[in-house]
Amino acid sequence: MTNYKKEYEKVFSGLPEDDQLAFNSLNTEFDKHFVTEDAKYEKLYIMADVMVRSGKDYVTYYNAKTKDVARVASKDLPKYRNKYWSDAAILGVYFAVLFSASIFFFGEVVISLVLPGILILILAMVPLMNHGIKHQSSGRGNKQMVSGVLFLILFVGANLLILFMNSETLSPLKITSYDASLVDTLLFVVFVIVAAASVYFIFSSKSWASKLIFIVLFIYSAGRLIYPFDFLNELSEFIVQYFMFIGLIIIIIAQYLRAKSSNKNES
């Protein structure tokens, strides 16, 4: 099997500086479209090799901005499934753990408008992380410095918001809170982490049956999280009392249909 990354690097090393800059930009643009690594390097190798064989430079041969060239070229290339949302979910798991740690530290469960603000920051951080931090680690970080710095600013800011959520400064954003026992606090923390992890597996799992399992876990965990508070009482009571049983039935039926479909395909 051809190692297109090595083949591309050989061709790339012989390119003039301007063409190297152009192909570095193409590399970045393919990443923005979440093209898989193998497909990306195969395409870059083909594009660079064809250009070199023509005896022309990038500007003359392609006569278009790297953004436009990559957008067209990436349409038919395989892409990472739900890459944006799975990356966002990974950050969500991290902040869920930090939020859980803050609950233990302050000894109080606090629900604040800071939390939806954190979600917005996470969604803003993902493209900055992909186009900044990851590219710098791969040796293409000179032009990604701004993205990397912005990511770090948002990341540190989100950390500070969670750590100081219980402070007087952010108290106007507090929705509700309650002092829980150690056992209740531990259960709350467990369901925070389970809910965050479920979101990650919903987006990263390939099987729809697996997704269904984690959707059920997420809904049940969300119900358990809002259950102690004095809002959405009827919904949370229904989820806590009945949804897990309903979810189990749904999962069993889904697994049965999946197994039945697999048996038909094998026969």
Side-chain angles (χ1 to χ4, degrees):
M1 184 176 178
T2 305
N3 187 330
Y4 283 104
K5 183 176 182 180
K6 287 186 177 180
E7 294 298 323
Y8 167 67
E9 288 173 348
K10 289 179 184 177
V11 177
F12 178 84
S13 63
L15 295 177
E17 184 177 352
D18 289 343
D19 287 344
Q20 287 187 351
L21 291 174
F23 273 88
N24 273 336
S25 179
L26 277 175
N27 199 330
T28 300
E29 293 299 327
F30 279 133
D31 286 342
K32 290 180 181 179
H33 291 282
F34 303 114
V35 176
T36 60
E37 184 171 325
D38 291 341
K40 177 183 72 173
Y41 282 112
E42 181 178 357
K43 189 66 176 179
L44 285 171
Y45 167 72
I46 293 172
M47 293 175 68
D49 185 60
V50 169
M51 185 191 74
V52 170
R53 290 177 185 275
S54 71
K56 300 178 181 178
D57 60 10
Y58 176 86
V59 175
T60 306
Y61 188 80
Y62 288 104
N63 193 28
K65 294 181 179 179
T66 55
K67 179 172 65 174
D68 297 327
V69 173
R71 177 174 51 80
V72 174
S74 64
K75 285 183 178 179
D76 298 324
L77 297 178
K79 299 176 178 63
Y80 291 110
R81 301 175 70 257
N82 299 318
K83 182 67 175 175
Y84 175 89
W85 294 108
S86 60
D87 282 351
I90 290 173
L91 287 173
V93 171
Y94 166 79
F95 286 111
V97 172
L98 182 63
F99 175 58
S100 301
S102 70
I103 291 174
F104 273 113
F105 182 79
F106 293 110
E108 182 182 21
V109 178
V110 176
I111 302 299
S112 168
L113 291 175
V114 168
L115 295 177
I118 297 296
L119 294 178
I120 294 172
L121 288 177
I122 288 174
L123 297 179
M125 275 187 267
V126 173
L128 296 174
M129 177 178 68
N130 287 328
H131 306 152
I133 301 297
K134 289 184 179 180
H135 289 176
Q136 288 183 35
S137 65
S138 64
R140 293 182 282 113
N142 291 335
K143 291 189 175 182
Q144 310 302 329
M145 182 63 70
V146 174
S147 295
V149 170
L150 288 175
F151 169 79
L152 290 175
I153 291 173
L154 294 181
F155 182 76
V156 172
N159 278 268
L160 292 175
L161 284 174
I162 289 179
L163 293 175
F164 291 96
M165 188 187 306
N166 209 27
S167 66
E168 292 185 4
T169 304
L170 297 178
S171 60
L173 300 177
K174 183 185 294 185
I175 298 173
T176 185
S177 64
Y178 81 103
D179 294 320
S181 65
L182 180 61
V183 174
D184 289 337
T185 300
L186 182 60
L187 282 174
F188 189 88
V189 166
V190 167
F191 284 114
V192 167
I193 296 174
V194 169
S198 296
V199 172
Y200 170 74
F201 287 113
I202 287 170
F203 288 111
S204 61
S205 298
K206 295 181 180 179
S207 166
W208 64 268
S210 298
K211 289 179 183 291
L212 189 59
I213 292 172
F214 290 111
I215 289 172
V216 170
L217 279 175
F218 172 75
I219 294 174
Y220 181 74
S221 299
R224 290 300 302 258
L225 290 175
I226 63 176
Y227 184 72
F229 301 101
D230 191 22
F231 62 96
L232 299 176
N233 293 332
E234 293 183 1
L235 176 62
S236 62
E237 286 180 10
F238 173 79
I239 292 174
V240 170
Q241 294 178 13
Y242 304 110
F243 185 78
M244 183 53 73
F245 299 105
I246 297 172
L248 286 173
I249 294 171
I250 294 172
I251 291 170
I252 291 171
I253 293 173
Q255 293 287 11
Y256 170 76
L257 293 175
R258 181 189 178 194
K260 189 175 180 180
S261 176
S262 298
N263 291 334
K264 284 184 178 180
N265 292 333
E266 289 177 1
S267 60

